[in-house]
Amino acid sequence: MKTRIKEYRKELKMTQEELAEAVEVTRQTIIALEQGRYNPSLILAYRITKALKRGYIEEVFELEDIEL
């Protein structure tokens, strides 16, 4: 899954550690998310979206790449 986490995080001048603390995960989880190696739960995606001050999950996560 592609994300725009890194882009939005940098716009807010937020470190990976700060984002991790805000959404209650490890920095390694943020790294994996930014690299597209981990798909978050819906709750985590929501928390990240709010922490990055975005209105919609689709702004942060490209959902069309998910196979159903």
Side-chain angles (χ1 to χ4, degrees):
M1 172 186 299
K2 293 183 181 182
T3 74
R4 298 181 74 186
I5 295 171
K6 186 174 185 177
E7 175 186 342
Y8 293 142
R9 179 178 59 75
K10 288 186 176 263
E11 281 181 14
L12 294 172
K13 297 180 176 28
M14 183 183 287
T15 66
Q16 290 173 332
E17 186 65 35
E18 289 169 336
L19 179 56
E21 287 176 16
V23 299
E24 301 177 350
V25 297
T26 65
R27 181 174 167 264
Q28 288 74 21
T29 299
I30 299 300
I31 291 168
L33 286 163
E34 288 184 352
Q35 294 176 349
R37 295 185 290 119
Y38 177 70
N39 292 334
S41 68
L42 183 57
I43 292 169
L44 179 55
Y46 177 79
R47 287 179 181 165
I48 290 169
T49 299
K50 292 301 176 188
L52 295 174
K53 301 183 188 313
R54 298 294 158 178
Y56 300 98
I57 290 174
E58 292 88 351
E59 290 179 71
V60 181
F61 298 92
E62 293 185 22
L63 302 175
E64 68 270 358
D65 291 349
I66 296 175
E67 290 184 31
L68 300 176

